[in-house]
Amino acid sequence: MVAKIKNQGKQNKEQFSLSNTDRHLLLVFFDLFALNGGFLLSLSYRQDYELNWILIKDNPVWFLLLNGLWFSVGYFFQIYNLEKAGRFDSAFLRVLSAGFLTVGIFNFIPYLPPVLPPSRQPLFISVLLPVVLLFFWRGLYNFGIRSVIKQSRVLIIGAGRAGKVICRALHDQTQMVYQVVGFIDDDPQKIRDLIAIDLKDNGEKLETPVFFSVLGTSEKLLEIVSQQGVTIIVLAVTSKMSGKLYQVLSDSMQQGVQIVPMPMLYEQITGKVPVEFIGDQWSVAMPLIHRGQTRIWRVIKRIFDLIWVFWGLIFLAAAFPWIAAAIYLDSPGPIIYHQKRFGKNGIPFKMYKFRSMIIEAERGKAVWAEKNDPRITRVGKFLRKMHLDEFPQFINIIKGEMSVVGPRPERPQIVEQLSEQIPFYRVRHAVKPGMAGWGLIHHGYGASVEDASVKLQYDLYYIKNQSLWLDLYILSKTLINAIGFKGR
């Protein structure tokens, strides 16, 4: 046991520390080095190009286009997610897919990249070589460089429910980046206590919980920070902090320790806003300033919506006769039905859908649609699996009542119920509702108050972080789910 501790201490000394920003920059630098290096080497293989700096100077568009494609494609494959990048099994397919797609698109864009080689062998090399170098570099990162980069050592202040939630999230989703060393709590009954946390390993819940120690009170914070090599302190305290705690946190910051509020870190690593634990930080759940308030964003978003509507209506026009016939033959009645929903600023509107349930399924009452709901028809089940039942909502988008991406709209009765039970629920009406959404791709369709609470956390994250890239990512995931029949 003593030998093991000594070896562990020696190993820690051999490791060096990098911030998350530095890790991202390391990955970006060598990714671009491998990608552009492979591209240049593939050009030198062809007889019509000579490898020198003049080639780069005279053709900057080639490299700007290649690198722009890499970052755009890489965004969708999450190649710079540090947790996924640190696991070779998850990084392997992502890097290969992003690499081949980037180089493939690059080579077949007309006029801008180099002219395609006349023979197959140089073309094969121009596609394969950059991807091979990317794959080699990421393998080196996973099996060599990452092993000597220390994890950020995290100390959590507050061993209550908020502290347990952030501890679970750090372990379940960011084991490669963060390591929880324990808790600090001023409750004398918790000192030296063991806090049980139900954790997951590779997505599966562990049979037995993992225990983390309460290392001491805030008075010993500096001492514990020094002993444990803490680099990040997470504030998981929902009550008002004492002046002594403020002072000791200030002293910790002077020693280079990063202080992060629990809601901020939780949002960063999970893509959700923890409405239950924001305490006095109500602005975390109610962003007073967000992109959706700017005129330029509303114009861009509207153009984006109309472009998608154009292509969607082409598909709908071709598929409508077949869908309509299938719905009617399976369950005679209306093909399209409408429901009253709440839109932006809580304004009600009629939302259109292909009918996927039997006639009078709700009998005048708002009822949650459950998994394997007996009211769903056979054709309706297929439409829902493919998300095809939502396509008539292109009409709502044209009318300006909905967007392609946004929080899913709910019925007035359910909104009233959830507003009474879930804090900040009406904040989701700060933007237009959408056909697809951040909450939908992560949590699916809700069937309970608990589901609605989780989806609200995702919706608030979307409101705060909305962008065209995020919208495109959500749409791509929605399309993948539809192809995989992962709808409700």
Side-chain angles (χ1 to χ4, degrees):
M1 182 69 176
V2 175
K4 183 178 179 181
I5 293 174
K6 288 182 178 179
N7 290 335
Q8 186 177 1
K10 182 179 179 181
Q11 184 180 6
N12 288 336
K13 290 180 181 179
E14 292 173 352
Q15 291 181 320
F16 62 94
S17 178
L18 282 180
S19 67
N20 290 352
T21 301
D22 292 336
R23 295 187 193 203
H24 281 120
L25 290 175
L26 179 70
L27 288 173
V28 167
F29 177 81
F30 283 103
D31 278 356
L32 294 183
F33 183 80
L35 183 69
N36 291 278
F39 171 57
L40 283 171
L41 289 175
S42 68
L43 287 179
S44 67
Y45 181 80
R46 296 164 55 173
Q47 297 179 355
D48 47 347
Y49 293 105
E50 183 178 350
L51 184 59
N52 53 44
W53 288 106
I54 298 177
L55 182 65
I56 302 175
K57 181 175 71 69
D58 291 345
N59 302 280
V61 175
W62 294 355
F63 300 91
L64 291 174
L65 178 61
L66 179 63
N67 296 330
L69 283 172
W70 169 251
F71 286 121
S72 300
V73 173
Y75 177 86
F76 295 104
F77 286 97
Q78 295 182 295
I79 56 175
Y80 293 113
N81 181 302
L82 293 179
E83 180 67 16
K84 291 180 172 63
R87 297 179 181 272
F88 188 73
D89 55 345
S90 62
F92 171 78
L93 186 59
R94 294 173 186 275
V95 172
L96 286 185
S97 300
F100 277 120
L101 190 57
T102 297
V103 179
I105 294 173
F106 174 76
N107 276 286
F108 291 98
I109 292 177
Y111 307 116
L112 295 178
V115 178
L116 290 177
S119 59
R120 295 180 181 178
Q121 189 177 31
L123 177 60
F124 177 76
I125 290 176
S126 67
V127 172
L128 186 63
L129 191 56
V131 180
V132 168
L133 290 182
L134 279 169
F135 180 73
F136 176 79
W137 146 242
R138 285 302 186 107
L140 180 63
Y141 173 80
N142 277 271
F143 296 110
I145 297 175
R146 190 186 58 76
S147 62
V148 297
I149 300 177
K150 287 196 300 185
Q151 297 166 293
S152 297
R153 293 176 64 80
V154 178
L155 180 65
I156 302 173
I157 297 184
R161 187 158 174 259
K164 293 178 181 179
V165 167
I166 190 62
C167 181
R168 183 182 299 111
L170 287 167
H171 188 279
D172 287 349
Q173 302 188 38
T174 60
Q175 292 183 49
M176 298 294 169
V177 183
Y178 300 100
Q179 179 185 7
V180 177
V181 300
F183 292 86
I184 288 288
D185 201 288
D186 286 337
D187 185 348
Q189 296 183 352
K190 293 182 180 179
I191 305 304
R192 300 301 172 188
D193 197 4
L194 294 177
I195 305 298
I197 306 292
D198 292 324
L199 300 176
K200 295 180 181 179
D201 186 23
N202 294 327
E204 297 294 330
K205 186 174 180 180
L206 298 175
E207 294 183 359
T208 57
V210 177
F211 294 89
F212 295 86
S213 299
V214 177
L215 302 175
T217 64
S218 57
E219 294 180 353
K220 296 187 176 180
L221 180 60
L222 291 177
E223 179 183 342
I224 294 170
V225 165
S226 178
Q227 290 176 349
Q228 298 291 334
V230 173
T231 55
I232 297 176
I233 293 176
V234 178
L235 292 176
V237 180
T238 54
S239 59
K240 188 175 180 179
M241 290 192 297
S242 65
K244 290 183 179 180
L245 181 55
Y246 273 115
Q247 183 58 53
V248 75
L249 288 174
S250 177
D251 294 338
S252 299
M253 289 180 63
Q254 294 181 33
Q255 295 185 9
V257 179
Q258 184 181 359
I259 313 296
V260 185
M262 178 270 186
M264 183 184 298
L265 184 59
Y266 185 85
E267 179 180 335
Q268 176 187 327
I269 65 179
T270 66
K272 297 188 293 185
V273 175
V275 294
E276 297 178 79
F277 306 110
I278 60 174
D280 295 333
Q281 305 172 60
W282 55 269
S283 59
V284 172
M286 293 181 62
L288 299 179
I289 300 176
H290 58 83
R291 182 169 289 171
Q293 295 174 320
T294 62
R295 185 182 299 274
I296 184 64
W297 170 250
R298 290 197 296 269
V299 172
I300 292 172
K301 181 81 165 176
R302 184 61 176 164
I303 295 172
F304 179 84
D305 287 343
L306 293 177
I307 291 173
W308 280 93
V309 166
F310 173 76
W311 293 107
L313 288 177
I314 292 176
F315 174 82
L316 183 60
F320 182 82
W322 307 99
I323 295 175
I327 292 173
Y328 187 81
L329 291 174
D330 185 40
S331 173
I335 306 302
I336 295 177
Y337 82 105
H338 59 78
Q339 277 185 338
K340 187 177 180 181
R341 302 284 177 113
F342 275 171
K344 185 178 179 181
N345 300 326
I347 299 174
F349 69 98
K350 290 181 180 180
M351 189 187 77
Y352 300 96
K353 298 183 71 172
F354 281 124
R355 183 171 60 85
S356 59
M357 289 187 175
I358 59 175
I359 303 296
E360 297 294 331
E362 293 189 328
R363 300 184 183 277
K365 295 181 179 180
V367 182
W368 297 97
E370 301 177 355
K371 187 176 181 181
N372 300 320
D373 197 311
R375 299 172 299 164
I376 300 175
T377 65
R378 289 172 298 179
V379 171
K381 187 176 296 185
F382 171 79
L383 294 177
R384 286 169 172 254
K385 289 289 185 183
M386 295 286 290
H387 294 291
L388 295 176
D389 60 320
E390 311 287 359
F391 269 53
Q393 288 157 36
F394 285 127
I395 300 171
N396 295 115
I397 295 175
I398 292 174
K399 294 170 67 177
E401 298 165 336
M402 291 181 63
S403 178
V404 174
V405 178
R408 287 294 298 165
E410 268 300 351
R411 285 160 289 182
Q413 302 96 314
I414 292 181
V415 169
E416 294 299 329
Q417 174 191 354
L418 296 177
S419 298
E420 294 177 359
Q421 300 182 51
I422 303 175
F424 309 105
Y425 186 80
R426 291 185 183 272
V427 178
R428 65 199 305 275
H429 296 145
V431 297
K432 288 182 182 179
M435 289 178 63
W438 185 246
L440 189 61
I441 64 172
H442 282 93
H443 197 71
Y445 291 90
S448 66
V449 175
E450 291 73 19
D451 288 338
S453 178
V454 174
K455 286 186 66 178
L456 172 65
Q457 296 179 48
Y458 285 115
D459 290 337
L460 293 177
Y461 178 89
Y462 173 78
I463 293 171
K464 294 174 65 177
N465 298 277
Q466 55 190 307
S467 68
L468 284 182
W469 289 119
L470 185 57
D471 282 5
L472 287 170
Y473 177 77
I474 292 169
L475 289 172
S476 66
K477 291 289 290 184
T478 303
L479 180 61
I480 292 171
N481 289 342
I483 295 173
F485 285 82
K486 294 181 179 179
R488 57 179 173 177

